[in-house]
Amino acid sequence: GFVPASFTDTLVPVAASTSGASSGATVGTATSSGTIFYGTIALGTPAVSTAYSNRLREVTVTLAWTNGGLVRTREMKTFVGQNGLQQYIY
């Protein structure tokens, strides 16, 4: 499918500075190598009993990263509809 099962991305912190910027604008410069995030995306059948449930999918996004020597994880779930959610909710 068009949704990747897994991904990796890096968030590099940026330090704000006004030196070298025109008109007092803020310029960002990378401060370190950043944090690497490892993610997975899972699509599943939602546990709902409605007439349109066959046109819905549950999307679960899970992220994992290390901060201060501790592994952190977060998970988010949402629904997507074949024709968008607007038709199914309202």
Side-chain angles (χ1 to χ4, degrees):
F2 62 91
V3 177
S6 63
F7 61 92
T8 303
D9 206 350
T10 303
L11 175 67
V12 179
V14 174
S17 169
T18 55
S19 65
S22 60
S23 305
T26 302
V27 176
T29 55
T31 59
S32 71
S33 60
T35 301
I36 300 173
F37 291 87
Y38 302 94
T40 60
I41 302 173
L43 300 174
T45 305
V48 295
S49 57
T50 61
Y52 53 82
S53 63
N54 61 330
R55 295 188 301 270
L56 289 176
R57 291 297 174 261
E58 183 178 73
V59 179
T60 304
V61 179
T62 306
L63 283 179
W65 69 97
T66 302
N67 185 327
L70 298 172
V71 175
R72 310 287 185 170
T73 60
R74 296 294 181 270
E75 182 177 274
M76 179 209 71
K77 293 185 180 208
T78 190
F79 295 109
V80 294
Q82 181 178 4
N83 299 313
L85 291 179
Q86 189 71 17
Q87 291 185 9
Y88 306 113
I89 295 175
Y90 300 103

